[in-house]
Amino acid sequence: MDHGDQGKFSPRKWAMSDLKSIVDKWQTFMYKNRGWNALYLENHDQARTISRWASDKPEFRTLAAKMFATFLCFQSGTVFVYQGQELGMANMPESWDVSEYRDLETLNHWEELKEIVGSDAEALDIARKEYQLKSRDHARMPVQWDSSPNAGFSTGTPWIRVNDDYKTCNAAAQVSTAGSVFEYWRSTLALRKDLRNIFVYGDFELLDRQHDDVFAYSRSSGDQKAVVVCNFRETPITWAVPPSVKLSSAEVLLSNYPEVDVTQEKLVLRPFEAFVVSAKTE
């Protein structure tokens, strides 16, 4: 969705309409054709979700990581959680030089680009920014287990540097810590399992297809229905609840903010706000 005209490492602003089309296509196609989806956002060939598609700024990082967990986990299929995703691990810092990268795709592109553009500072800077967003190395950095040297990954020298943020973002700091990304993932997967007749096997319906900032969908089974709402932006966004969805007396099942008010016909969603609510069928 964010590959430009010149390939992966050329810029393109991704569009919510593209994401909605992709998800809607596979959620409905697989259901109608007795297929099964593999649900993932990260793997060893993809950069970290919060850095690439949202924001890893300190004030938004945890919210964004929880929002993506909410977005993914209540779709139909098998959920794959890539190592470190459950901690909200981020891409390597923007301050790191290209020499820190190890991925041949990135390094070869850099050498080829220099042959083409020479010392064109603007072209080289654009490439550096794209590497920082999309390089495969971001997902191949050592998993951050604790705050000890090398994040507890190894007593030797890792093949690539540990992210600078390992002392605060690590498993030891998050497991059993209320409010952490790890514990939110636990809650998300537990809710999915408890209501699997809805979230695993139920019908999928994309809501408000035209909205450019909010991804919302419903899952239903018989007279049971749940609605998932995700604000993909780091700013407050107004979302008008579709007429077919009744949230005024809905029960909030999960959210990444402590308090959620869904009683209004128009909701002002906070930065990267996400929630799951039970809903009445129309």
Side-chain angles (χ1 to χ4, degrees):
M1 298 192 300
D2 61 352
H3 291 194
D5 294 338
Q6 303 302 313
K8 176 178 178 178
F9 294 126
S10 60
R12 180 189 179 212
K13 185 177 180 180
W14 71 276
M16 177 65 79
S17 58
D18 291 339
L19 179 61
K20 289 182 177 181
S21 294
I22 293 168
V23 173
D24 189 42
K25 172 186 175 181
W26 289 108
Q27 285 292 297
T28 55
F29 178 86
M30 287 297 196
Y31 188 86
K32 292 178 180 178
N33 291 276
R34 302 178 66 83
W36 196 249
N37 282 299
L39 302 174
Y40 72 93
L41 291 173
E42 297 185 9
N43 60 33
H44 68 287
D45 283 334
Q46 305 294 332
R48 293 296 182 178
T49 309
I50 59 172
S51 302
R52 185 173 182 179
W53 306 111
S55 174
D56 56 17
K57 297 175 184 176
E59 64 267 37
F60 297 130
R61 178 175 182 159
T62 296
L63 289 168
K66 292 178 179 180
M67 184 274 289
F68 280 117
T70 310
F71 162 76
L72 182 68
C73 282
F74 299 105
Q75 296 177 37
S76 180
T78 298
V79 178
F80 290 84
V81 185
Y82 182 70
Q83 56 189 28
Q85 185 179 358
E86 77 283 10
L87 304 176
M89 283 182 60
N91 286 358
M92 62 177 65
E94 294 181 12
S95 59
W96 285 18
D97 187 73
V98 174
S99 62
E100 298 286 357
Y101 289 86
R102 298 291 180 268
D103 176 31
L104 288 179
E105 178 187 47
T106 302
L107 297 177
N108 287 343
H109 182 274
W110 180 244
E111 294 303 321
E112 292 169 3
L113 180 66
K114 288 192 293 183
E115 290 182 4
I116 296 171
V117 304
S119 58
D120 185 332
E122 182 179 1
L124 295 175
D125 186 55
I126 289 173
R128 289 190 191 95
K129 290 179 179 178
E130 293 302 300
Y131 300 154
Q132 203 280 324
L133 283 177
K134 304 173 187 175
S135 175
R136 299 184 297 188
D137 274 336
H138 300 302
R140 301 174 181 183
M141 299 172 71
V143 172
Q144 295 161 205
W145 292 103
D146 56 38
S147 60
S148 65
N150 294 324
F153 179 80
S154 174
T155 56
T157 302
W159 81 299
I160 191 170
R161 274 177 65 183
V162 176
N163 201 314
D164 293 344
D165 63 12
Y166 75 91
K167 290 188 177 181
T168 54
C169 178
N170 60 69
Q174 292 198 29
V175 174
S176 300
T177 299
S180 69
V181 176
F182 182 89
E183 292 302 324
Y184 189 86
W185 268 100
R186 270 187 170 170
S187 298
T188 301
L189 293 171
L191 178 60
R192 174 185 171 86
K193 182 178 180 180
D194 289 344
L195 298 179
R196 55 186 174 273
N197 60 313
I198 301 175
F199 295 125
V200 179
Y201 303 111
D203 293 329
F204 174 93
E205 181 184 2
L206 182 66
L207 302 174
D208 202 353
R209 183 182 294 271
Q210 304 306 317
H211 204 293
D212 291 330
D213 304 305
V214 176
F215 196 112
Y217 61 92
S218 68
R219 303 300 310 278
S220 59
S221 177
D223 61 354
Q224 294 182 300
K225 185 173 185 176
V227 173
V228 180
V229 179
C230 300
N231 175 13
F232 270 67
R233 310 305 179 198
E234 63 180 60
T235 56
I237 297 295
T238 299
W239 183 63
V241 179
S244 61
V245 178
K246 303 300 180 183
L247 299 184
S248 57
S249 59
E251 176 189 0
V252 178
L253 303 175
L254 182 76
S255 69
N256 63 348
Y257 277 86
E259 300 292 335
V260 179
D261 180 7
V262 296
T263 61
Q264 307 301 314
E265 293 183 357
K266 286 189 176 181
L267 306 180
V268 178
L269 303 177
R270 291 161 287 188
F272 298 115
E273 182 168 5
F275 56 80
V276 183
V277 296
S278 63
K280 293 182 179 180
T281 55
E282 179 67 8

